[in-house]
Amino acid sequence: MNKIVEVLPDKAALIERSLAVVLSKMHTAIQQSDRCTIALAGGGTPKPLYEAIASQDLPWDKIHVFWGDERYVPPDHPDSNQGMARQAWLDNVPIPEVNIHPMPTDGANPAADAEKHEAHLRKFFKSAAGEFPQFDIILLGIGDDAHTASLFPHTDALQVQDHLVTVGNKDGQPRITFTAPLINHSHCVIFLVAGSGKRPALAQIFAPDADPLTYPARLIQPQGELWWLLDESAGQELEIKD
Ligand code: 6PG
């Protein structure tokens, strides 16, 4: 794993730097495999990044967009990660609809939808059972509780090693989420973290040892590149050891 940690002076600089890194990884992926597969984070932090990407002139037909997790609500619900990314980015660029791969949330139940999305990923990546497809880029955030995607502390989702997608659980609310092993197979994982509220979680995530079941972002140790892009509010006082 190649870990890069950068602390940017403020949120605007964090978004600007994140855009530069994402664009660079997109171009590399398209040069190498004539496509880029990127999985998006939800929540509020990445929204300005998605707005910035929408203003770029990119080969949209070569970019495939996925989500690392989804709240179990329809896409037009205010909590929908799909809805946020469409409003901020995808509705504003000529990306083919077939290149947008949302997590389904309209099936019989979350487990059935997780299974359905896993089958979709396996078909798209042509990956057999037991194999883990490699995304070019996976964007992640962390909660104040050090969750990432919808891998929440002390939930069953943290233990799932033999699936790509599983059901997350936030205080009893179901989520659909990539599993830790799927995230860890990515060529490049980029965490975007802003705000002083994230400082205690970051301290535990970066501590020499702490329980990953309590601080799930510690489970993310990708075989490829691991970027931590932090603003000063989140990243000051952080003990950054390699
Ligand atoms: C979600 C996200 C989640 C998010 C963190 C941080 O569905 O909420 O995928 O993992 O990245 O909760 O959210 P903020 O960026 O809003 O702080």
Side-chain angles (χ1 to χ4, degrees), residues 123-221:
K123 184 168 174 230
F124 177 85
F125 285 98
K126 300 184 177 59
S127 63
E131 286 176 357
F132 285 90
Q134 289 184 286
F135 280 84
D136 294 307
I137 306 166
I138 296 183
L139 301 178
L140 293 173
I142 60 166
D144 293 356
D145 60 358
H147 81 264
T148 190
S150 281
L151 300 169
F152 288 90
H154 301 293
T155 57
D156 295 345
L158 304 185
Q159 313 288 351
V160 178
Q161 297 296 321
D162 56 353
H163 283 282
L164 308 182
V165 184
T166 193
V167 178
N169 175 339
K170 177 179 183 176
D171 307 331
Q173 292 304 313
R175 302 280 193 91
I176 309 287
T177 186
F178 280 6
T179 60
L182 176 58
I183 295 170
N184 284 332
H185 276 77
S186 176
H187 288 298
C188 177
V189 174
I190 304 173
F191 278 97
L192 269 67
V193 185
S196 56
K198 304 288 170 74
R199 252 185 252 165
L202 281 171
Q204 294 298 334
I205 294 163
F206 278 76
D209 52 33
D211 177 13
L213 300 183
T214 305
Y215 306 105
R218 291 179 68 90
L219 294 171
I220 307 309
Q221 307 288 340

Side-chain angles (χ1 to χ4, degrees), residues 12-220:
L14 168 65
I15 297 304
E16 194 180 335
R17 179 67 178 136
S18 308
L19 177 65
V21 175
V22 168
L23 292 177
S24 160
K25 300 302 171 189
M26 282 181 165
H27 288 307
T28 302
I30 291 167
Q31 265 169 1
Q32 289 176 351
S33 52
D34 200 33
R35 77 177 187 192
C36 172
T37 54
I38 179 171
L40 305 184
T45 304
K47 186 173 180 183
L49 170 60
Y50 301 159
E51 289 165 344
I53 297 175
S55 66
Q56 301 298 311
D57 179 16
L58 293 170
W60 295 112
D61 61 322
K62 297 183 187 302
I63 295 172
H64 286 264
V65 177
F66 303 76
W67 279 262
D69 73 318
E70 185 57 274
R71 291 83 180 275
Y72 203 65
V73 293
D76 60 355
H77 188 283
D79 289 350
S80 169
N81 290 337
Q82 175 191 173
M84 182 272 274
R86 282 185 183 273
Q87 185 270 328
W89 167 12
L90 302 173
D91 290 351
N92 308 314
V93 296
I95 185 170
E97 187 59 29
V98 292
N99 287 28
I100 301 173
H101 308 265
M103 292 179 154
T105 58
D106 56 356
N109 57 61
D113 277 330
E115 223 171 281
K116 181 178 170 187
H117 195 55
E118 173 151 339
H120 176 80
L121 293 180
R122 289 200 182 287
K123 184 168 174 230
F124 177 85
F125 285 98
K126 300 184 177 59
S127 63
E131 286 176 357
F132 285 90
Q134 289 184 286
F135 280 84
D136 294 307
I137 306 166
I138 296 183
L139 301 178
L140 293 173
I142 60 166
D144 293 356
D145 60 358
H147 81 264
T148 190
S150 281
L151 300 169
F152 288 90
H154 301 293
T155 57
D156 295 345
L158 304 185
Q159 313 288 351
V160 178
Q161 297 296 321
D162 56 353
H163 283 282
L164 308 182
V165 184
T166 193
V167 178
N169 175 339
K170 177 179 183 176
D171 307 331
Q173 292 304 313
R175 302 280 193 91
I176 309 287
T177 186
F178 280 6
T179 60
L182 176 58
I183 295 170
N184 284 332
H185 276 77
S186 176
H187 288 298
C188 177
V189 174
I190 304 173
F191 278 97
L192 269 67
V193 185
S196 56
K198 304 288 170 74
R199 252 185 252 165
L202 281 171
Q204 294 298 334
I205 294 163
F206 278 76
D209 52 33
D211 177 13
L213 300 183
T214 305
Y215 306 105
R218 291 179 68 90
L219 294 171
I220 307 309

